[in-house]
Amino acid sequence: MAGVLKKTTGLVGLAVCETPREETDLQKLEDKLQAGQLEEVILQAENELSLARKMLTWKPWEPLVEEPPANQWKWPL
């Protein structure tokens, strides 16, 4: 890639990714994904990977240690 094609994402706290993918037409890729800017997609993927790693520790698929209170999910409280 010849360099960064955009100077800013226009989003506070989200810097331009200098090498998001080995493709010359990043705008075409963003249009194809229809999920926002590539920087947003990368950030979301990193967050999902972080959550997946935490879930390995939490093991939410295992049974509860103790039963929840009878009206725990009753609305309104």
Side-chain angles (χ1 to χ4, degrees):
M1 188 148 101
V4 178
L5 300 176
K6 58 184 172 183
K7 296 179 190 263
T8 181
T9 62
L11 301 170
V12 175
L14 188 61
V16 173
C17 184
E18 294 181 17
T19 56
R21 183 178 163 133
E22 302 294 327
E23 184 163 320
T24 56
D25 191 354
L26 299 178
Q27 184 61 49
K28 181 179 176 183
L29 183 58
E30 285 179 350
D31 293 341
K32 188 175 182 179
L33 288 174
Q34 294 184 350
Q37 298 182 49
L38 289 176
E39 291 81 2
E40 292 176 290
V41 174
I42 292 168
L43 180 62
Q44 180 178 353
E46 289 171 348
N47 289 340
E48 289 178 8
L49 180 59
S50 174
L51 175 61
R53 288 179 176 144
K54 290 175 184 175
M55 302 247 333
L56 286 173
T57 302
W58 298 336
K59 301 178 184 179
W61 55 86
E62 291 185 354
L64 296 174
V65 175
E66 55 187 55
E67 289 296 317
N71 292 324
Q72 179 174 348
W73 304 114
K74 186 176 179 181
W75 188 261
L77 298 176

